[in-house]
Amino acid sequence: MSKLIKIYSIAVTAVTVAALLIAAAIVLPRLVGIECYAVKSGSMEPALHVGALAYINTRNTSPEVGEAAVYKIVEDESETLVMHRVTEKTDGGYRFKGDANKNADASIIKPEQIVGTYVFQIPKAGFALAGMGNKGIAAGVINCIMLNGSAAG
């Protein structure tokens, strides 16, 4: 029986460490203005993969031509975030196009619509974020801490 308890304790500790690393990968970048977003479409393939966790520098809202960036579209009180690449800077704003799309986006995006510029991605990690959300990740970490308490006792 003591061998089973030891295996349980090791498993709980491993899951807790993994959960804390995931939480840190999402929370710590926010301290320097980096937000994480799950990539939900293939419009930026092959550079950005569906299901990736994309890190966006929200302190850089002036992308250059060739850079991928996130911008927001507000319609009927709902907000949609789009990540495409800047193809042109104009007097009125920016022209974007998804790497996998044949045509550029229809609208010129105004500077105030820019959320930030793409920094890097963690492939497939966005599936977990999209499925659990920030509250789900926090609940998972709390559950792991509680499991650790029961494993120790």
Side-chain angles (χ1 to χ4, degrees):
M1 187 68 150
S2 116
K3 197 173 201 177
L4 187 60
I5 292 172
K6 188 171 185 171
I7 291 170
Y8 172 76
S9 178
I10 290 170
V12 168
T13 300
V15 169
T16 301
V17 169
L20 290 172
L21 288 174
I22 291 168
I26 293 168
V27 174
L28 291 179
R30 288 182 175 170
L31 299 175
V32 293
I34 307 270
E35 290 289 332
C36 303
Y37 297 98
V39 178
K40 296 179 182 176
S41 83
S43 67
M44 286 297 291
E45 293 279 356
L48 282 137
H49 304 289
V50 173
L53 187 61
Y55 286 77
I56 306 303
N57 181 355
T58 60
R59 292 184 179 169
N60 181 3
T61 57
S62 300
E64 297 297 324
V65 171
E67 276 189 290
V70 172
Y71 63 88
K72 61 185 168 191
I73 300 171
V74 179
E75 291 178 351
D76 301 324
E77 297 181 30
S78 70
E79 187 175 278
T80 302
L81 296 177
V82 177
M83 186 183 319
H84 282 168
R85 193 171 306 281
V86 177
T87 59
E88 177 185 4
K89 278 178 140 178
T90 69
D91 289 338
Y94 298 89
R95 170 87 55 204
F96 282 86
K97 178 184 170 295
D99 290 355
N101 297 347
K102 289 182 181 180
N103 300 315
D105 299 353
S107 313
I108 296 292
I109 302 303
K110 296 178 179 139
E112 56 270 17
Q113 290 177 265
I114 306 293
V115 173
T117 55
Y118 169 76
V119 181
F120 67 94
Q121 68 178 312
I122 299 175
K124 298 185 172 72
F127 287 128
L129 180 65
M132 293 173 41
N134 288 343
K135 290 180 183 176
I137 290 169
V141 169
I142 290 168
N143 271 337
C144 286
I145 291 168
M146 291 171 63
L147 280 172
N148 270 314
S150 71

